Amino acid sequence: MADMLVLGIESSCDETGLALYDTGRGLLAHAVHSQVDLHEAYGGVVPELASRDHIRRIVPLLRKVLAEAGTGLETIDAIAYTAGPGLAGALLVGAGFAESLALALKVPALPVHHLEGHLLSPLLSADPPRFPFVALLVSGGHTQLMRVAGVGQYALLGETLDDAAGEAFDKTAKLLGLGYPGGPQLARLAETGQAGRFSLPRPMLHSGDLNFSFSGLKTAVLMQARKRTPGDSGKADLCAEFQAAIVEVLSAKALAALKATGLKQLVVAGGVGANQALRAALDTGTQAAGARVSYPELELCTDNGAMIAFAGAQKL
Ligand code: KG4
Ligand code: ZN
């Protein structure tokens, strides 16, 4: 089959991401506009503002990736876009734009599930993992362990019963008075603190299954903070302990999933996959188990158009 050029469009939340992926030459260009500055004052994503900003950004970003790839609209063979899950208005901007452009260019429009984009994103790395593998999907909305036999062949092994790992990071950051977006800020502060000075639970560590529960952790953090109002260094210690708790549970269950499936390849995807403490724990754990772990490039951990273009290309 001749090489195909796929335009990818991601607009499910607060990042507008566009990318051009060529089935022969790989990722040619990708660009992301983050709306962090826009939502910062509100302490969270304001859906209406997000939708309006996607409209403003999408055409300039398209021009940018075309210029970066040194090509024009006429060379695009298909347009992949995030169909869901996400904010309805934000998704509509991407879907409406993609479907219209596909109609005008007379090429297929390919709706992509956002999580499938994340899941396949490690395959874009220089040394991609091979099927079958266990995927640990840790984003703002989902925490799942999956057995992935190939593109489109996903078996759920376990998932969170309540908050997602990223959500727990964000909510805990908020109650500690850290800025938005909370996850990366909490992680940064955790690096300066010491785990073990506060004591937090390791939810479901010994549950015997591959499920998670993170909603209790933020409450435990709140109780600790109430008992003894932490100063700046105390806050850092609390963050370090919180991060240690999440990392311990995530890595223990990911390793348990490898054991349960008999597989030796782990793949990590989603925003929390950018967390350095999690990466360190998984590096050590997989090495000890004689297994391998793959991550997406750091910039492809959080939402982006490249993973959508790639997932779309796999569907073609
Ligand atoms: O995959 P993603 O960009 O968006 C969703 O599809 O949800 O993930 C965003 C999540 C947020 O909850 C954010 O706080 C978290 O990933 N995150 C992190 C880090 N970077 C992003 N959590 C912990 N440590 C980080 N370094
Ligand atoms: Zn995402």
Side-chain angles (χ1 to χ4, degrees), residues 10 12 114-115 118 139-140 270-271 301-303 307:
E10 155 64 33
S12 66
H114 183 76
L115 291 181
H118 275 301
S139 71
C301 274
T302 45
D303 292 346
M307 66 183 194

Side-chain angles (χ1 to χ4, degrees), residues 168-170 172-173 176 178 181-191 238-240 242-243:
F169 265 95
D170 295 335
T172 303
L176 287 174
L178 307 179
Q185 301 228 23
L186 194 160
R188 221 169 295 135
L189 194 53
E191 292 310 314
L238 199 45
C239 288
F242 170 83
Q243 178 171 272

Side-chain angles (χ1 to χ4, degrees), residues 235-315:
K235 225 182 224 184
D237 292 339
L238 199 45
C239 288
E241 174 67 7
F242 170 83
Q243 178 171 272
I246 294 230
V247 164
E248 197 177 320
V249 177
L250 286 177
S251 51
K253 300 255 169 168
L255 292 170
L258 284 178
K259 204 166 175 189
T261 55
L263 297 178
K264 291 285 176 194
Q265 170 75 59
L266 177 67
V267 157
V268 184
V272 184
N275 187 277
Q276 294 301 329
L278 177 63
R279 288 186 174 216
L282 291 174
D283 286 345
T284 312
T286 47
Q287 200 171 17
R292 225 186 83 118
V293 57
S294 308
Y295 310 96
E297 306 292 336
L298 258 189
E299 59 178 325
L300 300 185
C301 274
T302 45
D303 292 346
N304 64 83
M307 66 183 194
I308 302 304
F310 181 78
Q314 304 309 307
K315 286 178 190 293

Side-chain angles (χ1 to χ4, degrees), residues 141-152:
H142 293 81
T143 300
Q144 298 182 328
L145 277 163
M146 251 169 297
R147 186 185 192 284
V148 181
V151 174

Side-chain angles (χ1 to χ4, degrees), residues 35-46 179-181 185:
Q35 300 179 354
V36 163
D37 295 346
L38 183 66
H39 303 294
E40 197 171 13
Y42 306 93
V45 178
V46 183
Y180 156 87
Q185 301 228 23

Side-chain angles (χ1 to χ4, degrees), residues 92-111:
L92 269 171
V93 175
F97 185 79
E99 292 282 354
S100 310
L101 187 58
L103 182 71
L105 296 177
K106 301 190 174 64
V107 299
L110 311 163

